[in-house]
Amino acid sequence: MGKTIAEKILSQHSGRDLVAGDIAVVDVDVVFAQDGTGPLAVSQLRKMNFSSVANPSKSIFFIDHAAPSPRKELSDSHKVLRSFASESGAILSDINGGVCHQVVAEHYACPGNIVIGADSHTCTAGALGAFATGMGSTDIAVGFALSKTWLMVPHTIKVNFEGIINKGVYAKDLIIYLIKKITADGATYRAIEFSGSLSNGLEMEERLTISNMAVEAGAKAGIFATDAKTADYLKKQQRGDCFREIFADNDAVYEQVINIDCRTIEPMISKPHTVDNAVSVGKIGEVKIDQVLIGTCTNGRLSDLRIAAGILKNKKIAKNLRLIIVPASADVYLDAIKEGLIEIFIKSGATITNPGCGPCVGVHQGALAEGEVCLSTQNRNFKGRMGNPGGFIYLSSPATAAWSAVKGYISDPREALK
Amino acid sequence: MNDNLIDKSFVKNPGNSDGILNGRAFKFGDNISTDLIAPGRYFHLRSNLPELAKHVLEDADPQFAEKVKMGDIVVAGKNFGLGSSREHAPTIMKLAGVGAVLADSFARIFFRNSINIGLPVLVCDTSSIDQGDSLKIDLKSGIIKNISKNTEIKFNPLPDVMIKILSDGGLVEHITKNKGFNL
Ligand code: SF4
């Protein structure tokens, strides 16, 4: 019987022939935690009497969620990570590096790897043909200590994006459309394999956006097969030698196959307070906005910033509106400066912050006031997410976010692209 | 971090000795996210879990932390614990005294985290349970008695690996005792 990508990768890492439903202890290739989850992982490591990690060159602590630290308690947490990293030999990606998932994609994850991270959006690296999944601090502490974890082999849902993508519609719209269709728990405990003629043509940065949000449907992993685009991306990152072909067998068994004709998909908006509460932009009505965020591990990559800059060039953002732009990583930031994108943003009235999570998780750099509305390119809009349960978060693509920042209310980006 | 407090609370889990949990039901709806359980605006309290526990479930029920008593049971609809991987969410529920969580379904990471830290999370049909109902859970037989309504509900058994981790007292204890995985 043929195997899905998840079954193949997990089998290779356990030395056993695994099928969906099996439970196994597997070797892991990349393990990481961030400043919100890392300190608890360190404390669990100490409880188990570990002061080193099993695979230092692929064990990473990121300081990205509250970077630079906005208050003393968090400064103490950062100190814990810095000193444990130096004691254990693990890598520290400090406040200058960027969001963990972007940096893992750029520098660490390889096709066929198992990647585990103490952050739910670890599934992002699935875009590179890795089995990447989020866990809590204790599981990750064990991952650091032993380079092993236990997993149930998930059943797989195959999602075929077919047809063409309309002008003004982006990877973000496709994944919001899918989550609306299958709901916020439609893929719980499952892996999703993204396939179909359209998916195969997507650029790596678009794939990363889609894999990033697999967890918003509850999925354990969101995986793309590898191809020439994967190889090119790795080559550009000076990591061409880690390319491997990863694909499912023709006779792999899927729990479900979902075919989506993308010609019918329009720019999508998730309304407060769940991601699956989504409509096409034409049905949103008049929603006035106070803040726009373009960035995060979902949409803070160079191609996202290019799209936003294309719309914002020679324009000003609306009066009484804040536009916050957060490059996902140091590399993205530098490229955006070189291409002149940052200059366009500043001239439009935007505020640029350092690479990292920015205001996404409500710690700093843009918490909402009572009753305020934010349109964001991030991946989730739960009540309280941006620091205030009295705020309202809508989600969209960078194009919709940029054009809406100009208009002052949620607007259809196709108006700007005419 | 106040490790002693966490440890004590784990040992004190009211169900550990005989596998029986008694408590009042606190009812919540569907899709209770980890942002509602452990809000991001208290990010700086993650290194002070007893303090963070004073805000547990605050954005779903602002008075919950004041009302909850040792052993009380959180009862919810589908997809409980969706969102972030923050293990602080189940940890502060446990610290606040929550004896178990019953839900129609759980988000994957929350479920796994709860077992790792020794908080029983049970999948069952919660539709007949109301706020304030008095519940008795028998972890061994898999039966929940609703004493207020004089009815019984069955819950789905946990996977064997999770029972092993739970009965060792959590994942840290499992790894320490076995010098690695023994699942
Ligand atoms: S950018 Fe937002 S979603 Fe991504 S890792 Fe940071 S806080 Fe999480």
Side-chain angles (χ1 to χ4, degrees), chain A residues 115-135:
Chain A
V115 178
I116 59 172
D119 190 284
S120 59
H121 295 104
T122 301
C123 51
T124 310
L128 288 160
F131 184 92
T133 193
M135 297 180 174

Side-chain angles (χ1 to χ4, degrees), chain A residues 64-65 99-101 119 121 212 296-297 356-357 360-361 379 385:
Chain A
D64 55 356
H65 278 58
V99 189
C100 51
H101 309 302
D119 190 284
H121 295 104
N212 175 269
T296 79
C297 58
C357 296
C360 178
V361 71
N379 44 38
R385 177 80 186 171

Side-chain angles (χ1 to χ4, degrees), chain A residues 6 15 30 38 96 103 117 206 266 283 294:
Chain A
V30 180
N96 56 342
V103 178
E206 299 173 303
E266 296 186 79
K283 298 209 179 91
I294 299 176

Side-chain angles (χ1 to χ4, degrees), chain A residues 64-65 67 99 293 324 326 353-366:
Chain A
D64 55 356
H65 278 58
V99 189
L293 167 62
I324 302 169
V326 192
T353 71
N354 59 293
C357 296
C360 178
V361 71
V363 188
H364 65 163
Q365 295 180 331

Side-chain angles (χ1 to χ4, degrees), chain B residues 32-53:
Chain B
I32 298 295
S33 73
T34 52
D35 281 293
L36 295 176
I37 303 170
R41 65 179 176 283
Y42 301 121
F43 203 87
H44 60 287
L45 293 179
R46 289 191 187 178
S47 51
N48 186 352
L49 293 173
E51 235 358 83
L52 187 61

